[in-house]
Amino acid sequence: MNTSYSKLLRKIITLQRRENLIPPNSSILIGFSGGIDSSCLAVAMLKLREFFKLKRIALLHVNHMIRGEESYRDEEFAKSFAQKLSLEIFIKRVDVPKIAKEKGENIEACAREERYKAFEEIRREENFDFVATAHHLGDLAETILLWLTRGTGLEGLLGFEPKEGYIVRPLYLAKKEDIEDFAKREGIEWVEDRTNYDLSYARNRIRHRVIPELKKINRNLEETLLRMREILREEHRLLCQLTMDAIERVKKEGRRAFLELDPALQRRVVVELFGIKNFKEVKKVINRIKKGDKL
Amino acid sequence: MNTSYSKLLRKIITLQRRENLIPPNSSILIGFSGGIDSSCLAVAMLKLREFFKLKRIALLHVNHMIRGEESYRDEEFAKSFAQKLSLEIFIKRVDVPKIAKEKGENIEACAREERYKAFEEIRREENFDFVATAHHLGDLAETILLWLTRGTGLEGLLGFEPKEGYIVRPLYLAKKEDIEDFAKREGIEWVEDRTNYDLSYARNRIRHRVIPELKKINRNLEETLLRMREILREEHRLLCQLTMDAIERVKKEGRRAFLELDPALQRRVVVELFGIKNFKEVKKVINRIKKGDKL
């Protein structure tokens, strides 16, 4: 196996060494859409099977039944992809349009929610240690910019983590370019999701219109955002810890303790205790407490 | 005077009431380029002269001598603009190309530096209380996005303040649209700086290519960033305060106290004490201290 020149594999190895993403003898279920990212993830994990000392690898394809015929084409592709690599595969069909309609939810958000539900369900039923998703550094940059655009505090600027509970993201340090190079070098096939180019989706607008412009200013944009994220994550952790201490005190000593808090912590305590995130609502609650409301 | 419908004036008034930007009986020197923003600022401040109880208003035009003939056209425009409004004006010529060459600096950065130097010089010489600049909410959004693109921690995400020392920014809450409406309504004339459209300047790329795309996702982008900024500013202030306390302890107790600090504070202490900002350098210094280096 010639892995010496592949940037993608090197970045997966670096992440594993740095974060101990997947302990030895784990079994992993790979979230597999059939797109370039998850196709490369599947091949890369097979190539690194020994490096990771993986006990079992399987794919899970969730058919969201959103894009009519295309959904079934993708499902078929997933099956034949698995077959070619002699990989175990699970297929799960979820009628997202129906569920979204019943719940009155946005279809994209609903698909995401149902996908993660399916991941967890199959992971438990089939006794996998982890679900691996194909999120990479480009997705991280998009997520950060989306949060920034729609409004956030520190937490949104953190995007997502390489490891969150049972979810692991081995491609976390890889850029789209690394994935494309790998696909080319390894002759990997994938299916294109035509909604990827639909600019009515905010994420696609960020991906195709905003990020290319920002990369003309800084071609290492993704790495730059990753470094910012590292700084902010440490500061966010410290603030979370201070918030937890503050909540303890407020629970014991009530309003007086709240009034003595730093304004930044007053905000975080209100967000945490009352579950309100809206900027103006949080301000209102703080003002009501200042004027005499109990906590 | 009919100010009842002008959003621009209302936003200036709101800012003044909220932040007490300019105390009564102040004298202000307006940084005047001749562009739409500073032309509107000048007219707006004249209209609000009584509201602010201003003792004296004057313009200061800095000719950076960058754009050849155009620089002198702008200087002439500034003079005639002041004359029409019967406003006192100061003209200052600075040979920025020469200075930038001598210092080996980027010409844009040098122009900015020299401009602020000139502001402060004339302010002192002529005994003005404040220099008012025409920075508005659109500039704030651009600044935040520029910092994000080039790399930053929390402080870059704060952009600039409505008041920094002797500098005040009465248009802080106003958007470009408010300024354009005001210019139209009041029949204000201005000169166009053709470098505003030059995409080789990163800021122009953010202005003309990135922000319009982000506004298709959230048309209140500027206000959204302003709210994020308010949250982050409070948290940044708290972290600065904790850093100052930590530095006190480290100065007294040395390395041992440093090692006990939260990682977020270790980073900030190193940045503060050694004046290093580069991400990797900061990490190296922290590691050296952990391995035994003195502080």
Side-chain angles (χ1 to χ4, degrees), chain A residues 148-149 151-152 154 205 209 213-214 216 218 224 227-228 230-231 234-235 242 263-264 268 279 283, chain B residues 148-149 151-152 154 205 209 213-214 216 218 224 227-228 230-231 234-235 242 264 268 279 283:
Chain A
L148 185 88
T149 305
T152 185
L154 261 187
R205 191 172 287 286
R209 292 282 174 85
E213 290 297 331
L214 297 180
K216 285 177 193 162
N218 175 4
T224 298
R227 281 199 303 271
M228 172 188 83
E230 275 195 52
I231 300 173
E234 282 181 351
E235 303 192 335
L242 295 173
R268 281 186 177 243
F279 183 81
K283 257 192 163 169
Chain B
L148 184 86
T149 305
T152 184
L154 261 186
R205 191 172 288 284
R209 292 282 175 86
E213 290 296 332
L214 297 180
K216 285 177 193 162
N218 175 5
T224 297
R227 281 200 303 273
M228 173 188 82
E230 276 195 51
I231 299 172
E234 282 180 353
E235 302 193 336
L242 294 172
R268 283 187 176 242
F279 183 80
K283 256 191 164 167

Side-chain angles (χ1 to χ4, degrees), chain A residues 23-169:
Chain A
N25 297 311
S26 298
S27 57
I28 64 162
L29 184 63
I30 297 176
F32 185 80
S33 70
I36 185 169
D37 301 339
S38 56
S39 295
C40 286
L41 175 62
V43 173
M45 293 311 280
L46 268 180
K47 281 186 176 285
L48 295 173
R49 183 168 206 156
E50 282 178 46
F51 166 77
F52 277 108
K53 299 195 174 55
L54 292 172
K55 203 167 63 189
R56 183 182 175 200
I57 310 181
L59 304 183
L60 165 58
H61 178 76
V62 180
N63 180 344
H64 300 96
M65 300 163 74
I66 297 179
R67 288 165 296 122
E69 294 241 336
E70 213 179 283
S71 295
Y72 297 93
R73 175 205 72 178
D74 293 355
E75 189 183 306
E76 281 312 308
F77 173 82
K79 275 186 210 160
S80 73
F81 185 96
Q83 207 166 29
K84 271 188 204 159
L85 293 172
S86 309
L87 265 171
E88 205 182 341
I89 186 167
F90 299 89
I91 304 280
K92 172 115 189 154
R93 288 185 185 168
V94 185
D95 194 342
V96 170
K98 197 180 147 205
I99 298 169
K101 210 177 163 188
E102 281 168 11
K103 290 191 183 169
E105 265 184 357
N106 165 299
I107 206 153
E108 280 297 289
C110 178
R112 188 181 181 283
E113 199 181 303
E114 292 298 323
R115 189 163 59 245
Y116 277 89
K117 244 195 233 169
F119 288 168
E120 181 54 16
E121 192 185 305
I122 306 290
R123 189 194 67 77
R124 272 175 198 265
E125 280 174 11
E126 301 286 333
N127 269 314
F128 283 94
D129 296 311
F130 296 103
V131 172
T133 68
H135 292 108
H136 55 80
L137 204 48
D139 296 317
L140 183 71
E142 287 166 26
T143 304
I144 290 172
L145 285 161
L146 257 177
W147 275 98
L148 185 88
T149 305
R150 288 180 167 155
T152 185
L154 261 187
E155 63 296 349
L157 297 171
L158 303 183
F160 48 78
E161 298 282 336
K163 190 167 185 169
E164 291 176 1
Y166 296 114
I167 305 284
V168 291
R169 302 189 162 106

Side-chain angles (χ1 to χ4, degrees), chain A residues 229-285:
Chain A
R229 186 189 177 281
E230 275 195 52
I231 300 173
L232 299 186
R233 184 172 51 166
E234 282 181 351
E235 303 192 335
H236 181 57
R237 268 195 199 145
L238 171 58
L239 291 166
C240 285
Q241 193 188 306
L242 295 173
T243 307
M244 290 307 129
D245 298 348
I247 286 177
E248 283 294 303
R249 276 213 330 273
V250 167
K251 277 187 174 162
K252 270 189 212 145
E253 301 163 36
R255 192 175 156 270
R256 182 188 296 248
F258 182 84
L259 296 180
E260 283 171 3
L261 293 175
D262 184 276
L265 293 179
Q266 288 182 338
R267 155 172 302 281
R268 281 186 177 243
V269 165
V270 165
V271 169
E272 201 61 43
L273 280 183
F274 301 97
I276 319 164
K277 289 216 155 188
N278 180 287
F279 183 81
K280 282 185 187 167
E281 285 301 315
V282 172
K283 257 192 163 169
K284 269 188 207 160
V285 171

